[in-house]
Amino acid sequence: MKKILVVGGNGQLGNCIRKIAPDFETQYEFTFTNSQTLDITNQNQINDVFYDLKPDFCINASAYTAVDLAEKEEEKAFAVNAEGVGNLAEACAEYKTVLIHVSTDYVFDGETNLDYSEDDFTNPIGVYGNSKLKGEELALENNPKTIILRTSWLYSEFNKNFVKTMLNLFSQKDELGIVADQFGQPTNANDLAEAIMSIIENPNKSFGVFHFSNYPETTWFEFAKKIAEFSNSSVKLNALTTEQYPTPAKRPKRSTMSLDKIEKIYNIEPKHWENSLEDCVNILSE
């Protein structure tokens, strides 16, 4: 039986993989770790886990994701998002393990009107994006059998995310201001989990960088409006500009990614974000 190691098993994506793992239990044995049971900044811990498990696949669902805090905690962000990924990739190379590493649209600066392809020039505008880009580079350098999945605006019924924050605020506020001039692709982490398992099940592996998200693009404001609609909230939402809502870290204005490559090579068809959002809001409303 093939073995899958899921690093960051208590995060959003880790929980979504855990949810569908029983569907694959006849083919794969899953091991989930968290930051306590496997600290990816500790090479000795990684070596011990890989020696014991000898995984066929390693899904790195762990990350430092506090975009604004990263501006202050640069060392911590790079330790997890860059050096830690490099450590994992080294172990994967030693054990001939396929590494599936999750990255971000924030590796781009967002200064274009075209959808970003996997080969487009990266130019992160904050510490978080820079640390994630360095992680991509180290993963590809250290392990030839690496698949990088860049995703965006991740949410689910698990942990902290924009959808859950909005639902919480809707219950407390009558009126909210939401940024309306930043464009991206909201992505249900459950869809990402399913895409990862499709890649693992595909006998013809293609390595390198891929983009995966829901589609098409939207703004945070339109995203929030749909959350309100699906949750039957009467909250009044006001459109704000980025200038009206300053944050410690700059965000890309438009980080929309082309999804053609993953569809063509792995036959994975992304879902419309509104449908995936409705599914999530329904789960959270139960």
Side-chain angles (χ1 to χ4, degrees):
M1 187 179 281
K2 295 274 178 84
K3 295 177 179 179
I4 299 174
L5 170 64
V6 183
V7 182
N10 286 352
Q12 276 200 90
L13 177 58
N15 274 309
C16 291
I17 296 168
R18 200 187 289 269
K19 191 168 112 177
I20 60 172
D23 299 340
F24 300 92
E25 64 188 4
T26 57
Q27 304 149 272
Y28 303 102
E29 181 186 312
F30 289 81
T31 299
F32 293 85
T33 65
N34 56 45
S35 56
Q36 278 72 50
T37 56
L38 177 55
D39 175 2
I40 63 171
T41 65
N42 185 325
Q43 188 73 66
N44 291 332
Q45 269 195 35
I46 291 174
N47 292 342
D48 289 346
V49 169
F50 272 73
Y51 179 79
D52 290 341
L53 194 64
K54 298 175 179 62
D56 298 282
F57 299 93
C58 173
I59 302 168
N60 183 27
S62 69
Y64 178 105
T65 57
V67 176
D68 289 322
L69 198 57
E71 297 298 313
K72 284 184 188 171
E73 297 186 346
E74 184 167 357
E75 202 172 302
K76 194 173 177 184
F78 269 85
V80 176
N81 292 345
E83 287 91 357
V85 178
N87 294 340
L88 271 180
E90 275 184 24
C92 286
E94 188 179 338
Y95 287 90
K96 297 182 171 52
T97 303
V98 173
L99 173 62
I100 299 174
H101 172 62
V102 179
S103 191
T104 175
D105 58 324
Y106 278 41
V107 298
F108 299 113
D109 61 18
E111 297 294 329
T112 181
N113 292 320
L114 301 171
D115 294 354
Y116 286 104
S117 79
E118 286 80 355
D119 300 323
D120 279 338
F121 181 68
T122 50
N123 185 34
I125 53 176
V127 170
Y128 169 70
N130 272 295
S131 69
K132 292 294 285 183
L133 180 60
K134 185 63 180 173
E136 288 187 9
E137 291 166 355
L138 289 171
L140 293 167
E141 278 171 27
N142 294 355
N143 183 32
K145 294 168 76 172
T146 290
I147 297 165
I148 288 168
L149 294 176
R150 291 179 185 147
T151 192
S152 57
W153 297 19
L154 213 58
Y155 69 89
S156 68
E157 66 269 35
F158 302 107
N159 302 48
K160 189 182 172 189
N161 56 67
F162 185 77
V163 174
K164 290 178 78 175
T165 298
M166 286 298 109
L167 290 171
N168 189 38
L169 287 171
F170 293 170
S171 66
Q172 299 170 18
K173 309 269 187 184
D174 297 322
E175 198 168 340
L176 281 173
I178 309 288
V179 173
D181 59 358
Q182 292 172 18
F183 293 80
Q185 294 143 300
T187 307
N188 190 323
N190 288 286
D191 294 338
L192 178 57
E194 287 176 11
I196 288 170
M197 290 310 301
S198 292
I199 289 169
I200 286 174
E201 288 202 293
N202 193 310
N204 304 310
K205 294 286 182 295
S206 179
F207 302 106
V209 181
F210 293 84
H211 292 165
F212 178 84
S213 68
N214 294 139
Y215 80 96
E217 70 173 16
T218 190
T219 64
W220 292 110
F221 177 68
E222 293 299 329
F223 189 20
K225 274 173 64 177
K226 278 292 169 188
I227 298 167
E229 180 188 320
F230 293 144
S231 62
N232 297 312
S233 171
S234 57
V235 68
K236 184 187 178 193
L237 297 175
N238 302 312
L240 301 179
T241 63
T242 297
E243 286 71 29
Q244 288 174 299
Y245 190 79
T247 54
K250 282 181 73 180
R251 266 72 169 169
K253 287 179 190 169
R254 184 180 181 274
S255 55
T256 308
M257 300 182 296
S258 166
L259 308 174
D260 293 345
K261 184 179 174 183
I262 201 165
E263 198 164 350
K264 184 179 173 186
I265 292 178
Y266 279 109
N267 201 28
I268 293 170
E269 286 190 36
K271 296 177 184 173
H272 197 293
W273 70 263
E274 290 185 19
N275 297 334
S276 287
L277 173 63
E278 189 169 17
D279 290 344
C280 183
V281 172
N282 287 342
I283 288 169
L284 289 166
S285 302
E286 283 173 2

